[in-house]
Amino acid sequence: MLTIGAFARACRLSPKALRLYDELDLLRPARVDPDTGYRYYAPEQLEQARLVAWLRRIGMPLARVREVCALTPDAAAGEIRAYWDRVEAETAQRRDLAAFLVDHLTTAGRAEDTPMLELRYAAHSDPGRVRPQNQDTAYAGTRLLAVADGFGPGGAPVSRAAVEALKTLETREIPAGDVLGLLQETLEEATEGAGQDSGTTLTALLWTGSRLALVHIGDSRAYLLRDGALFRITHDHTLVQFLIDEGRLTPEEATSHPRRTLLLRVLGTAAPDLRLRDAALGDRYLLCSDGLSGVVPDARIRAALTAADSPEAAVHTLIGAANEAGGPDNVSCVVADVVGARGV
């Protein structure tokens, strides 16, 4: 048996923390001396104590630590991954808000030097050449760009509901500092129509007048063409992307993986990625479902976006390229250019 001091040193928890976890029934000692009340621990308790210590170091609340410690290792790993996904989403949101506040305060009084910008846009959704039904929804307006890719028997109405929920924000004047919070609240409404066998991805940009707020979950994508270079600004929430991130799969191997379409996160099951992006005159954005990105390589996407003289032409070319590649899925594209405001 180990004294509480020796056990604390071995598991890197303080004696004070161990006494607290005993009171909370999170980590009971193996024996308590009936006369002195002194706590003793068994060596086999070290693994659980270390797990508690690690979970606390990543900031997990005690109530959730208790739940995770009661699970099997595989289930516990899944809970930790879900918890950290939410932490990263919330941290990104706070980081973007902090950056906005710094920029807002340091540029106060110089608004007259900031060029007035707006979006010029086009959107289209096509069923492709194989699927009998189009479950995608594509939308472009003066302030909102969105692509949602539904799946399951109710996929089409679910994807439409997600975009319709975001469209309610188009008519509201929203400061850039508030937009991420409002997006999060609005998306809670967008999940009401989803069932166990139906759901949707969602990738959208909401224009604030100076910045674009990005919301993303699933495997639809957003790209930015800036100064001739193409950047993917979203991260796929798929099994193959997870395996690539862990170094267990190469991007080339992912294209032929038998489960390459398996989604790990969709709207309503986990926190979406939320962040603010600065807009620059001349930027061209592309939002698309995986019906495009799954069959048309990035090099061809870049070439089409570079060559097209308008968002309408770019959308037409990209959907045509997906159908030329077999059109195995619904394909939706939204292209928007950041341009100088008319009349300014």
Side-chain angles (χ1 to χ4, degrees):
M1 301 290 283
L2 299 173
T3 64
I4 189 171
F7 191 77
R9 288 191 295 273
C11 66
R12 298 187 178 181
L13 284 168
S14 69
K16 181 179 178 180
L18 289 172
R19 287 190 287 270
L20 173 63
Y21 298 158
D22 179 12
E23 294 171 5
L24 295 175
D25 198 24
L26 180 61
L27 185 63
R28 290 289 195 183
R31 185 173 74 85
V32 178
D33 189 290
D35 298 321
T36 64
Y38 211 71
R39 296 169 173 84
Y40 294 89
Y41 294 83
E44 54 267 26
Q45 290 182 279
L46 280 171
E47 184 174 354
Q48 182 182 7
R50 288 175 181 137
L51 176 60
V52 171
W54 291 330
L55 293 175
R56 291 297 290 151
R57 288 191 185 105
I58 66 172
M60 185 175 286
L62 284 170
R64 194 158 184 181
V65 169
R66 183 185 293 106
E67 294 172 0
V68 170
C69 288
L71 298 173
T72 64
D74 285 346
E79 283 297 310
I80 294 168
R81 185 178 297 114
Y83 168 77
W84 195 248
D85 283 345
R86 181 168 293 277
V87 169
E88 287 187 324
E90 292 173 350
T91 300
Q93 184 173 341
R94 291 195 297 269
R95 181 192 63 227
D96 288 340
L97 178 56
F100 162 76
L101 290 171
V102 170
D103 184 65
H104 175 71
L105 293 172
T106 55
T107 59
R110 299 205 302 272
E112 65 275 7
D113 298 328
T114 303
M116 298 297 292
L117 303 173
E118 64 182 23
L119 299 178
R120 185 178 300 152
Y121 49 83
H124 187 65
S125 184
D126 188 272
R129 296 186 171 177
V130 175
R131 298 290 177 89
Q133 179 188 13
N134 191 352
Q135 295 186 303
D136 285 3
T137 300
Y139 175 81
T142 55
R143 297 182 60 193
L144 176 68
L145 314 171
V147 167
D149 182 355
F151 60 87
V158 172
S159 72
R160 285 196 300 271
V163 175
E164 288 297 323
L166 290 182
K167 285 169 67 175
T168 62
L169 300 178
E170 270 202 302
T171 57
R172 301 173 59 179
E173 291 299 325
I174 305 171
D178 297 336
V179 69
L180 294 180
L182 283 172
L183 276 170
Q184 181 70 58
E185 294 172 10
T186 304
L187 287 176
E188 293 177 2
E189 302 175 12
T191 63
E192 293 179 359
Q196 292 184 343
D197 55 354
S198 300
T200 189
T201 70
L202 178 66
T203 300
L205 289 166
L206 183 64
W207 179 249
T208 69
S210 59
R211 285 178 170 82
L212 286 161
L214 171 68
V215 56
H216 167 72
I217 191 162
D219 62 351
S220 294
R221 291 182 177 180
Y223 292 88
L224 167 63
L225 183 73
R226 176 176 286 176
D227 298 327
L230 184 68
F231 305 93
R232 175 149 59 105
I233 59 174
T234 54
H235 194 73
D236 291 348
H237 300 136
T238 59
L239 173 64
V240 292
Q241 186 62 60
F242 172 75
L243 295 175
I244 290 170
D245 295 341
E246 288 204 330
R248 295 157 59 186
L249 200 67
T250 67
E252 293 74 23
E253 291 170 336
T255 60
S256 58
H257 194 279
R259 305 186 74 186
R260 60 186 176 277
T261 60
L262 180 62
L263 293 164
L264 298 183
R265 291 166 60 185
V266 295
L267 193 63
T269 65
D273 297 336
L274 288 164
R275 61 181 183 271
L276 286 168
R277 295 190 57 85
D278 288 323
L281 186 66
D283 284 349
R284 173 166 281 183
Y285 285 90
L286 164 67
L287 277 60
C288 65
S289 62
D290 67 327
L292 176 73
S293 58
V295 296
V296 179
D298 283 1
R300 188 168 182 189
I301 291 175
R302 175 188 170 278
L305 290 172
T306 302
D309 59 4
S310 68
E312 292 84 355
V315 165
H316 176 78
T317 300
L318 290 167
I319 290 180
N323 284 327
E324 288 169 12
D329 198 357
N330 308 148
V331 54
S332 295
C333 294
V334 173
V335 175
D337 292 343
V338 180
V339 301
R342 296 177 178 89
V344 178

